[in-house]
mmCIF file of all heavy atoms in Angstrom:
data_model
loop_
_atom_site.group_PDB
_atom_site.id
_atom_site.type_symbol
_atom_site.label_atom_id
_atom_site.label_comp_id
_atom_site.label_asym_id
_atom_site.label_seq_id
_atom_site.Cartn_x
_atom_site.Cartn_y
_atom_site.Cartn_z
ATOM 1 N N LEU A 1 -16.494 -71.172 -50.188
ATOM 2 C CA LEU A 1 -16.535 -70.734 -51.586
ATOM 3 C C LEU A 1 -17.924 -70.223 -51.949
ATOM 4 O O LEU A 1 -18.071 -69.181 -52.592
ATOM 5 C CB LEU A 1 -16.138 -71.881 -52.516
ATOM 6 C CG LEU A 1 -14.665 -72.300 -52.482
ATOM 7 C CD1 LEU A 1 -14.470 -73.614 -53.213
ATOM 8 C CD2 LEU A 1 -13.785 -71.225 -53.083
ATOM 9 N N ILE A 2 -18.949 -70.971 -51.527
ATOM 10 C CA ILE A 2 -20.328 -70.549 -51.816
ATOM 11 C C ILE A 2 -20.615 -69.207 -51.148
ATOM 12 O O ILE A 2 -21.159 -68.296 -51.776
ATOM 13 C CB ILE A 2 -21.344 -71.622 -51.368
ATOM 14 C CG1 ILE A 2 -21.210 -72.867 -52.256
ATOM 15 C CG2 ILE A 2 -22.778 -71.083 -51.421
ATOM 16 C CD1 ILE A 2 -22.029 -74.057 -51.811
ATOM 17 N N LYS A 3 -20.206 -69.072 -49.910
ATOM 18 C CA LYS A 3 -20.430 -67.818 -49.171
ATOM 19 C C LYS A 3 -19.717 -66.647 -49.840
ATOM 20 O O LYS A 3 -20.247 -65.548 -49.923
ATOM 21 C CB LYS A 3 -19.935 -67.991 -47.734
ATOM 22 C CG LYS A 3 -20.324 -66.888 -46.806
ATOM 23 C CD LYS A 3 -19.880 -67.206 -45.384
ATOM 24 C CE LYS A 3 -20.261 -66.092 -44.439
ATOM 25 N NZ LYS A 3 -19.825 -66.351 -43.068
ATOM 26 N N ALA A 4 -18.494 -66.895 -50.342
ATOM 27 C CA ALA A 4 -17.702 -65.834 -50.965
ATOM 28 C C ALA A 4 -18.253 -65.409 -52.329
ATOM 29 O O ALA A 4 -18.278 -64.220 -52.648
ATOM 30 C CB ALA A 4 -16.250 -66.289 -51.117
ATOM 31 N N PHE A 5 -18.717 -66.375 -53.121
ATOM 32 C CA PHE A 5 -19.111 -66.058 -54.496
ATOM 33 C C PHE A 5 -20.621 -66.000 -54.723
ATOM 34 O O PHE A 5 -21.074 -65.447 -55.715
ATOM 35 C CB PHE A 5 -18.461 -67.045 -55.465
ATOM 36 C CG PHE A 5 -16.986 -66.818 -55.591
ATOM 37 C CD1 PHE A 5 -16.087 -67.554 -54.842
ATOM 38 C CD2 PHE A 5 -16.496 -65.824 -56.412
ATOM 39 C CE1 PHE A 5 -14.727 -67.329 -54.931
ATOM 40 C CE2 PHE A 5 -15.136 -65.578 -56.517
ATOM 41 C CZ PHE A 5 -14.247 -66.330 -55.769
ATOM 42 N N TYR A 6 -21.393 -66.572 -53.801
ATOM 43 C CA TYR A 6 -22.857 -66.570 -53.922
ATOM 44 C C TYR A 6 -23.454 -66.218 -52.558
ATOM 45 O O TYR A 6 -24.003 -67.078 -51.874
ATOM 46 C CB TYR A 6 -23.351 -67.936 -54.423
ATOM 47 C CG TYR A 6 -22.787 -68.297 -55.777
ATOM 48 C CD1 TYR A 6 -21.657 -69.116 -55.890
ATOM 49 C CD2 TYR A 6 -23.362 -67.805 -56.940
ATOM 50 C CE1 TYR A 6 -21.129 -69.433 -57.141
ATOM 51 C CE2 TYR A 6 -22.840 -68.123 -58.192
ATOM 52 C CZ TYR A 6 -21.725 -68.933 -58.277
ATOM 53 O OH TYR A 6 -21.210 -69.244 -59.511
ATOM 54 N N PRO A 7 -23.342 -64.939 -52.145
ATOM 55 C CA PRO A 7 -23.747 -64.539 -50.790
ATOM 56 C C PRO A 7 -25.223 -64.810 -50.487
ATOM 57 O O PRO A 7 -26.080 -64.740 -51.372
ATOM 58 C CB PRO A 7 -23.468 -63.036 -50.757
ATOM 59 C CG PRO A 7 -22.562 -62.772 -51.911
ATOM 60 C CD PRO A 7 -22.840 -63.824 -52.931
ATOM 61 N N SER A 8 -25.500 -65.086 -49.218
ATOM 62 C CA SER A 8 -26.852 -65.465 -48.792
ATOM 63 C C SER A 8 -27.865 -64.328 -48.918
ATOM 64 O O SER A 8 -29.066 -64.557 -48.880
ATOM 65 C CB SER A 8 -26.830 -65.978 -47.345
ATOM 66 O OG SER A 8 -26.352 -64.965 -46.483
ATOM 67 N N LEU A 9 -27.399 -63.112 -49.089
ATOM 68 C CA LEU A 9 -28.310 -61.991 -49.325
ATOM 69 C C LEU A 9 -29.043 -62.167 -50.661
ATOM 70 O O LEU A 9 -30.174 -61.736 -50.826
ATOM 71 C CB LEU A 9 -27.509 -60.682 -49.333
ATOM 72 C CG LEU A 9 -28.254 -59.365 -49.218
ATOM 73 C CD1 LEU A 9 -29.057 -59.294 -47.917
ATOM 74 C CD2 LEU A 9 -27.277 -58.199 -49.286
ATOM 75 N N PHE A 10 -28.384 -62.860 -51.580
ATOM 76 C CA PHE A 10 -28.928 -63.001 -52.934
ATOM 77 C C PHE A 10 -29.311 -64.429 -53.307
ATOM 78 O O PHE A 10 -30.024 -64.647 -54.277
ATOM 79 C CB PHE A 10 -27.891 -62.492 -53.947
ATOM 80 C CG PHE A 10 -27.312 -61.159 -53.582
ATOM 81 C CD1 PHE A 10 -25.981 -61.049 -53.203
ATOM 82 C CD2 PHE A 10 -28.096 -60.021 -53.569
ATOM 83 C CE1 PHE A 10 -25.442 -59.823 -52.848
ATOM 84 C CE2 PHE A 10 -27.571 -58.795 -53.206
ATOM 85 C CZ PHE A 10 -26.238 -58.694 -52.847
ATOM 86 N N PHE A 11 -28.832 -65.407 -52.538
ATOM 87 C CA PHE A 11 -29.052 -66.807 -52.876
ATOM 88 C C PHE A 11 -29.343 -67.640 -51.639
ATOM 89 O O PHE A 11 -28.895 -67.319 -50.545
ATOM 90 C CB PHE A 11 -27.797 -67.402 -53.561
ATOM 91 C CG PHE A 11 -27.365 -66.655 -54.775
ATOM 92 C CD1 PHE A 11 -26.361 -65.692 -54.695
ATOM 93 C CD2 PHE A 11 -27.964 -66.888 -56.003
ATOM 94 C CE1 PHE A 11 -25.966 -64.986 -55.814
ATOM 95 C CE2 PHE A 11 -27.573 -66.184 -57.123
ATOM 96 C CZ PHE A 11 -26.572 -65.227 -57.033
ATOM 97 N N ASN A 12 -30.095 -68.735 -51.840
ATOM 98 C CA ASN A 12 -30.299 -69.745 -50.797
ATOM 99 C C ASN A 12 -29.507 -70.988 -51.162
ATOM 100 O O ASN A 12 -29.492 -71.404 -52.328
ATOM 101 C CB ASN A 12 -31.781 -70.139 -50.685
ATOM 102 C CG ASN A 12 -32.594 -69.086 -49.974
ATOM 103 O OD1 ASN A 12 -32.111 -68.427 -49.063
ATOM 104 N ND2 ASN A 12 -33.840 -68.914 -50.410
ATOM 105 N N TYR A 13 -28.883 -71.568 -50.162
ATOM 106 C CA TYR A 13 -28.151 -72.819 -50.345
ATOM 107 C C TYR A 13 -29.165 -73.946 -50.550
ATOM 108 O O TYR A 13 -30.123 -74.063 -49.809
ATOM 109 C CB TYR A 13 -27.298 -73.080 -49.104
ATOM 110 C CG TYR A 13 -26.536 -74.373 -49.123
ATOM 111 C CD1 TYR A 13 -25.309 -74.467 -49.763
ATOM 112 C CD2 TYR A 13 -27.040 -75.511 -48.506
ATOM 113 C CE1 TYR A 13 -24.597 -75.663 -49.792
ATOM 114 C CE2 TYR A 13 -26.340 -76.713 -48.526
ATOM 115 C CZ TYR A 13 -25.116 -76.779 -49.174
ATOM 116 O OH TYR A 13 -24.429 -77.962 -49.201
ATOM 117 N N VAL A 14 -28.977 -74.775 -51.571
ATOM 118 C CA VAL A 14 -29.854 -75.924 -51.826
ATOM 119 C C VAL A 14 -29.103 -77.204 -51.481
ATOM 120 O O VAL A 14 -29.535 -77.994 -50.663
ATOM 121 C CB VAL A 14 -30.358 -75.947 -53.283
ATOM 122 C CG1 VAL A 14 -31.153 -77.216 -53.568
ATOM 123 C CG2 VAL A 14 -31.207 -74.717 -53.575
ATOM 124 N N ASN A 15 -27.965 -77.395 -52.145
ATOM 125 C CA ASN A 15 -27.073 -78.515 -51.829
ATOM 126 C C ASN A 15 -25.670 -78.137 -52.276
ATOM 127 O O ASN A 15 -25.453 -77.010 -52.737
ATOM 128 C CB ASN A 15 -27.554 -79.832 -52.465
ATOM 129 C CG ASN A 15 -27.628 -79.755 -53.971
ATOM 130 O OD1 ASN A 15 -26.707 -79.273 -54.632
ATOM 131 N ND2 ASN A 15 -28.738 -80.224 -54.540
ATOM 132 N N LYS A 16 -24.725 -79.047 -52.189
ATOM 133 C CA LYS A 16 -23.328 -78.675 -52.450
ATOM 134 C C LYS A 16 -23.055 -78.232 -53.883
ATOM 135 O O LYS A 16 -22.041 -77.606 -54.152
ATOM 136 C CB LYS A 16 -22.392 -79.818 -52.057
ATOM 137 C CG LYS A 16 -22.529 -81.069 -52.902
ATOM 138 C CD LYS A 16 -21.540 -82.118 -52.453
ATOM 139 C CE LYS A 16 -21.549 -83.304 -53.401
ATOM 140 N NZ LYS A 16 -20.509 -84.260 -53.074
ATOM 141 N N ASN A 17 -23.970 -78.516 -54.793
ATOM 142 C CA ASN A 17 -23.775 -78.124 -56.193
ATOM 143 C C ASN A 17 -24.824 -77.158 -56.729
ATOM 144 O O ASN A 17 -24.755 -76.772 -57.891
ATOM 145 C CB ASN A 17 -23.751 -79.370 -57.092
ATOM 146 C CG ASN A 17 -22.566 -80.258 -56.793
ATOM 147 O OD1 ASN A 17 -21.468 -79.779 -56.544
ATOM 148 N ND2 ASN A 17 -22.796 -81.563 -56.789
ATOM 149 N N SER A 18 -25.799 -76.781 -55.896
ATOM 150 C CA SER A 18 -26.896 -75.934 -56.386
ATOM 151 C C SER A 18 -27.255 -74.845 -55.388
ATOM 152 O O SER A 18 -27.145 -75.038 -54.181
ATOM 153 C CB SER A 18 -28.153 -76.772 -56.641
ATOM 154 O OG SER A 18 -27.923 -77.736 -57.617
ATOM 155 N N ILE A 19 -27.707 -73.725 -55.947
ATOM 156 C CA ILE A 19 -28.233 -72.636 -55.131
ATOM 157 C C ILE A 19 -29.524 -72.133 -55.762
ATOM 158 O O ILE A 19 -29.757 -72.315 -56.953
ATOM 159 C CB ILE A 19 -27.224 -71.472 -54.993
ATOM 160 C CG1 ILE A 19 -26.747 -71.002 -56.375
ATOM 161 C CG2 ILE A 19 -26.064 -71.846 -54.094
ATOM 162 C CD1 ILE A 19 -25.912 -69.765 -56.347
ATOM 163 N N GLU A 20 -30.330 -71.501 -54.930
ATOM 164 C CA GLU A 20 -31.593 -70.911 -55.392
ATOM 165 C C GLU A 20 -31.425 -69.393 -55.423
ATOM 166 O O GLU A 20 -30.886 -68.804 -54.491
ATOM 167 C CB GLU A 20 -32.711 -71.289 -54.412
ATOM 168 C CG GLU A 20 -34.044 -70.658 -54.731
ATOM 169 C CD GLU A 20 -35.067 -70.884 -53.613
ATOM 170 O OE1 GLU A 20 -34.667 -70.957 -52.426
ATOM 171 O OE2 GLU A 20 -36.249 -70.961 -53.941
ATOM 172 N N ILE A 21 -31.877 -68.781 -56.508
ATOM 173 C CA ILE A 21 -31.808 -67.323 -56.641
ATOM 174 C C ILE A 21 -32.899 -66.690 -55.784
ATOM 175 O O ILE A 21 -34.047 -67.122 -55.800
ATOM 176 C CB ILE A 21 -32.001 -66.900 -58.111
ATOM 177 C CG1 ILE A 21 -30.884 -67.475 -58.987
ATOM 178 C CG2 ILE A 21 -32.067 -65.389 -58.245
ATOM 179 C CD1 ILE A 21 -31.130 -67.348 -60.466
ATOM 180 N N LYS A 22 -32.527 -65.633 -55.036
ATOM 181 C CA LYS A 22 -33.510 -64.877 -54.248
ATOM 182 C C LYS A 22 -33.705 -63.470 -54.819
ATOM 183 O O LYS A 22 -34.816 -63.078 -55.146
ATOM 184 C CB LYS A 22 -33.033 -64.734 -52.791
ATOM 185 C CG LYS A 22 -33.070 -65.991 -51.986
ATOM 186 C CD LYS A 22 -32.989 -65.730 -50.483
ATOM 187 C CE LYS A 22 -31.792 -64.927 -50.045
ATOM 188 N NZ LYS A 22 -31.603 -64.891 -48.584
ATOM 189 N N ASN A 23 -32.616 -62.707 -54.895
ATOM 190 C CA ASN A 23 -32.697 -61.294 -55.268
ATOM 191 C C ASN A 23 -31.598 -60.938 -56.255
ATOM 192 O O ASN A 23 -30.426 -61.236 -56.017
ATOM 193 C CB ASN A 23 -32.535 -60.411 -54.026
ATOM 194 C CG ASN A 23 -33.528 -60.755 -52.941
ATOM 195 O OD1 ASN A 23 -34.724 -60.565 -53.118
ATOM 196 N ND2 ASN A 23 -33.037 -61.275 -51.833
ATOM 197 N N LEU A 24 -31.993 -60.290 -57.358
ATOM 198 C CA LEU A 24 -31.021 -59.828 -58.343
ATOM 199 C C LEU A 24 -31.398 -58.431 -58.818
ATOM 200 O O LEU A 24 -32.518 -57.976 -58.620
ATOM 201 C CB LEU A 24 -30.953 -60.781 -59.540
ATOM 202 C CG LEU A 24 -30.466 -62.214 -59.272
ATOM 203 C CD1 LEU A 24 -30.564 -63.053 -60.541
ATOM 204 C CD2 LEU A 24 -29.051 -62.228 -58.729
#
């Protein structure tokens, strides 16, 4: 789900409930 809706090109995985913004 994270990969589909919050791709790694734009976000870093932090934990199962959080992501870090990289590029917008």
Side-chain angles (χ1 to χ4, degrees):
L1 290 168
I2 292 173
K3 191 176 180 181
F5 289 96
Y6 300 96
S8 60
L9 195 60
F10 312 112
F11 304 96
N12 284 326
Y13 177 84
V14 174
N15 60 46
K16 66 179 187 174
N17 295 320
S18 298
I19 53 172
E20 176 189 32
I21 298 168
K22 289 197 304 190
N23 305 294
L24 296 176

